[in-house]
Every structure is written in C-alpha cells, then in structure tokens.
Amino acid sequence: MATAASSVLYTKIDNPPLKVVKAQGNYLQTQDGRQIFDATAGAAVASLGHNHPSIKQAMLKQLESVDYCYSPFFTTSAAETISSYLTESTGGEMPKVFIVSSGTEAVEASLKLARQYFVEKGEPQRTRFIARKQSYHGNTLGSLATGYHKGRRAIYEPILRQNVSHVSPCYAYRDQDSGESTEAYVQRLADELEAEFQAVGPDTVCAFVAETVSGTTLGCVPPVPGYFKAMKAVCDRHGALLMMDEVMSGMGRTGTLHAWQQEGVVPDLQTVAKGLGAGYAPIGALLIGKRVTNALTDGTGSFVHSQTYQGHPVACATAYAVQEVLRDERLLENVREQGEYLGDLLKARLGSHKNVGDVRGRGLLWGVEFVMDKETKRPFPASKKIAAKVHDTGLQPEHGISLIPGNGVADGTDGDIILIAPAFNVSKTDVELIVGRIEKVIHAVLGA
Ligand SMILES: Cc1ncc(COP(=O)(O)O)c(C=O)c1O
C-alpha cells in the first residue's frame, strides 16, 4: 500500500494516487478493488488498450535479438523498420526520422533542428520561434518556453528562453466573433501571425509551432478549415518553417495517421509520440520534411544532437508492432466511426447541460468545456477546480471512469475542460458506457 512515506515523488507529495495492480483492455484495476474504465488511454497514449498479446510478443522477440545498442555506432532492423514505415506513411514527404523516448524530446530535437537548418543555409540570425497561447509542447525548459500554459510556466518564467513569442490559438468557440465568417476569422489569425513576424523581424524567425489539433491546454480544439494553409502561407512568405506538434493528435488519434493529412498542408517538421508506442514503450519521433532533410544532407551532413536512448531497439520494435495492429485491425476506420459516434453522443447527452459550454473534437480526441454561464461563456474561476472535481469524482467506485482534467483554456487561468481519448479499438458499447458514466459524474459535480 502506497503511503506518505513512499520514496516516489507523487504529483501531490502527501496524497498518493490510486495504486493500479492490473491493466487489461480498457480497464485499470486498483489495489482497493476499483475497476476503472480508462476513457483517456492514460494521457491519450494506450491506443490499443492494455495487455495486447501481439505487442508483448513483439517486445519479447526484440529482447531476444538486440535489447540495446548505441545508435551513433550501430543501427538495427527495428530502427530501420519503424523509420521507413513512418516515412512511407507520409507518402515520402518526411524522408528522415529521429527516434527519441518522449514527446518532449521530439519537440526539443525539432527546435534544435530548425535552428541548425538556418545555420546550414547561412541565415544564422534566425533564432526566434512563434508559437501559440494556451499551447503545450512539453516540460523541458526549451519545450516549456515554446508552449504557453500560465500555470505550468509560472515559476520557471525567469529561466525560460526569451526567443519565443505567442499568438492566438485557433479557438472558434471563444475567439470567432458572432457574424464573422470562417474565412474572415482565418484571415484575422493570419494577419496576427504576419504582424508578429513583422514585430520580431521576419528574417529572425526559425519556425511557427502549433499543435495540429490542440491537446489538454486548450481542450481538443480542431483547427477551422483553411487555418493551417493560411498559417503556412505566412511562414512561406518569410522563409520560416512550419512545425506541427502531433504528439497527442497524431498517429491515428484524430482519424488519419497524421493529423496534418486533414489540413491540406505538409509540415517541415512534425513531432509524434503517444500513439506511436501506445504506452508499451516510451517512444517519440521527429519526422523531418524534404526541405530540412536536403539542407542537412547538402550541408554538414549531421544533426548536432543525440541522446543515449535514441532509436532504442525495443521501443522501435514495439512501435512497429503497434502500427501493424493498427493496420490489421483496421483501427483508423474505427477511430473515425466510433469518434463520430462519441462526439454525437456527447453533444446529445451533455450539450444541453447548463454548464456545458462546448463539446468539440475530432476522431477519438474530445473535449467538454464547462462554463458558469452558457450565454456569456463566462468560465468558472480556477479556484473552483471544476475539472479536477470531475476527475476525482470519476475515480470514485460508484463511477469508475478516468478522465483528464484541464484548466486555463479560456484565458490561461480560468476555463475548465475534461478530455476524453479512449483506445482506438473501443466498441459502440464502450462509447455508450463512457458517455453514460460522464453524464452521471457531471450531474454529481454540477447538478443535473
Ligand atoms: C502536443 C504535445 N506536445 C508535447 C507533449 C509532451 O510529451 P511528453 O509528455 O511525452 O514528453 C505533449 C504531452 O502531453 C503534448 O500533448
């Protein structure tokens, strides 16, 4: 039994979380006997559910051939196979792949490669990045400086690098004016990005960085049609790169293997992680577009960055096995089909609740935003901890559902959401169970 004397540095030091003793399919069994439906696949990670037999087999097989080797000295079939799979999955648009152990590491590598690209091209004055408010790109100092979530940054602000500025996210629910067309809204956001390039000096910017479909810090908001095309046009005008962070929204989560495939643009740099290894191994990857690949190949020929666990053979073999299951079990189709059903059901059952302001998402990545007042969209004050209460209540034995809480979506401080991101192989019955349980939890916290 975990106690306050545990050596584990818990998220809340004196408040040990529930101890999971078995994870099977969609369920987490805790030591105190709860059966919790994992409606978020952990942190939108366990896309095949838990304890999938083929993945275990693939991991064991890899352990029997090569468990680990140091990637600057040796390559392995495991690293070659998953990397070429990823390149092929982009139709060859991303010719090179750099495998790391997490989303944050993929983002760090991406930021560094963007910088190196411009040094290779003879534009060393490019040192800046433009990212978006209410975004999340990871928790190391570089990635934290790139994202913008007030709470996660606050105490580190004085030691974060100062070469990132933040423009508005694409957040139609709050920011598109009533009567404003989608085209006009997109134009306004493009104008804002253009103005930011001009403010910092267009030839000083390495890249514009954005989550293709936002994750927890904005709450599963898909871009409006035409948004990324317009942002890319601004980047192109100034020779800057487009960096799309698909750590959460990629690898099938939003219905296509790559979320950008629904946006009519191809990024120069793309990061993926969570669904890549589906939680069976810690793995993330940076996918590198043609322009950057060519500059590197024609230039110094080597990326000035490396990590000990880069291209870890077991992680690579695991990720490839996950992708095989995705293909063999036709899970992208299931994500689209069950995702649409999940969205429809959430809207039908929760949309009219007095405190549900918005239900949005894509594929199997959905967010429910809570408000005090539906008319004015006034959020609850952060001090009410609404999303945290929904999360805690969900974990109680009578509800048995795990949901991800998020805060600060409205203005960086206030604004609560819950995120729903189940495994890609959920059934119609699972979706009905999820929505039924969420409805009861919301009624328990906010009233009917
Ligand atoms: C969009 C995005 N980028 C980066 C990260 C960081 O990934 P990790 O937690 O694997 O380091 C996350 C994690 O939630 C994310 O959602």
Side-chain angles (χ1 to χ4, degrees), residues 43 102-105 107 136-139 211 215-216 245-248 273-274:
S102 68
T104 297
E105 289 171 43
V107 168
Y136 184 60
H137 297 293
N139 250 339
E211 294 161 79
T216 43
D245 183 351
E246 302 204 348
V247 166
M248 187 174 272
K274 298 169 184 272

Side-chain angles (χ1 to χ4, degrees), residues 97-117 129 137 140 142-143 146 161 241 243 269-271 284-288 292 296 303-307 310:
V97 174
F98 186 81
I99 306 264
V100 288
S101 309
S102 68
T104 297
E105 289 171 43
V107 168
E108 286 288 345
S110 187
L111 296 168
K112 289 178 78 175
L113 187 51
R115 164 68 187 159
Q116 189 180 336
Y117 167 76
F129 292 84
H137 297 293
T140 50
S143 57
T146 306
R161 63 196 167 89
L241 300 174
M243 221 174 112
L269 293 164
Q270 175 195 357
T271 46
L286 167 62
L287 278 57
I288 305 157
V292 179
L296 207 61
F303 182 22
V304 189
H305 182 62
S306 84
Q307 295 191 243
Q310 193 179 310

Side-chain angles (χ1 to χ4, degrees), residues 87 90-96 260 266-268 288-291 293:
T87 292
T90 65
E93 293 289 355
M94 314 300 275
K96 296 287 178 198
W260 53 260
V266 177
D268 296 298
I288 305 157
K290 290 177 183 162
R291 176 176 164 193
T293 300

Side-chain angles (χ1 to χ4, degrees), residues 1 21 25 44 84 115-116 118 148 163 216 251 333 338 363 393:
M1 178 79 173
V21 291
S84 42
R115 164 68 187 159
Q116 189 180 336
F118 286 109
Y148 200 94
N163 61 341
T216 43
M251 298 314 300
E333 284 94 322
Q338 298 308 330
T393 306

